[in-house]
Amino acid sequence: MGSRHPNPRLVKIHRNYSVEEVARLFGLHKNTVRTWLKQGLAAIDERRPTLVLGRELWRFLHGRRRSAKQSCGPGRIYCIACRTPKVPAGKMADCTPIGHLAGNLCGICPDCDRLIYRRVNLAKIDAVRGDLEITFKQPLPRIGESAVPSVNCDSSQKANAHENA
Ligand SMILES: [Zn+2]
């Protein structure tokens, strides 16, 4: 199965890759790799077949990942379905703490009505908040504590799916 966010760790930086090999490595179509070449992935030279240094492939994929993360600015949550950061409907989001330091923002995509999630560092939440109205949920009860678990935002699984998507 292909991935829209190929993992740079699969790349061996000391070898060269042909377009076909890159496509196979990540389970992508060759045209996707050709698109990367147009988007700034540098080939070794102009000759055919096109070869790419592993190190260059790694650099390119890493840069893409970083820009994907950075493009999700304050007050926005990435919608997997729409493939763009969205200001959640009503500019509202719930935040469910995960442990002491992290939380899961949960909102609704204004365009496709899906739940959208963003993992946040609670210490830096003001940098993420933008002009959102954030409702803080109680942390999930620890095992052994008798509390009714919140079912409002059953998000940990989907949030993981988001991160791996
Ligand atoms: Zn959406």
Side-chain angles (χ1 to χ4, degrees):
M1 210 182 87
S3 164
R4 261 181 277 129
H5 297 286
N7 188 342
R9 274 187 232 164
L10 293 174
V11 178
K12 294 189 172 63
I13 61 172
H14 293 297
R15 60 162 288 186
N16 302 333
Y17 291 88
S18 68
V19 169
E20 286 80 3
E21 285 168 336
V22 175
R24 212 179 308 141
L25 182 64
F26 298 115
L28 298 166
H29 195 275
K30 277 186 279 183
N31 283 347
T32 305
V33 183
R34 293 201 180 99
T35 304
W36 293 352
L37 288 162
K38 287 177 194 147
Q39 288 174 343
L41 174 65
I44 293 175
D45 55 28
E46 302 280 285
R47 279 180 291 172
R48 304 276 157 178
T50 302
L51 287 175
V52 178
L53 279 174
R55 187 185 297 279
E56 166 62 14
L57 180 58
W58 186 93
R59 182 201 63 78
F60 177 78
L61 293 176
H62 238 261
R64 272 166 55 100
R65 286 196 141 192
R66 214 173 324 145
S67 61
K69 276 181 189 160
Q70 284 172 354
S71 69
C72 207
R76 288 178 161 73
I77 302 177
Y78 190 85
C79 176
I80 302 171
C82 299
R83 297 192 191 181
T84 42
K86 298 285 184 184
V87 176
K91 292 188 177 178
M92 290 189 302
D94 292 340
C95 182
T96 307
I98 308 163
H100 291 297
L101 299 173
N104 224 336
L105 278 187
C106 173
I108 296 170
C109 176
D111 294 322
C112 70
D113 289 337
R114 285 182 172 83
L115 288 173
I116 49 181
Y117 300 97
R118 179 171 182 178
R119 187 69 74 92
V120 294
N121 179 332
L122 292 178
K124 294 178 185 164
I125 192 152
D126 284 335
V128 174
R129 187 194 299 265
D131 52 2
L132 295 184
E133 194 178 305
I134 297 179
T135 305
F136 286 88
K137 301 279 180 187
Q138 290 300 311
L140 295 173
R142 285 177 220 178
I143 296 166
E145 281 179 279
S146 57
V148 180
S150 161
V151 292
N152 285 336
C153 192
D154 179 23
S155 52
S156 57
Q157 239 184 337
K158 287 172 191 161
N160 287 339
H162 184 169
E163 280 181 355
N164 297 332

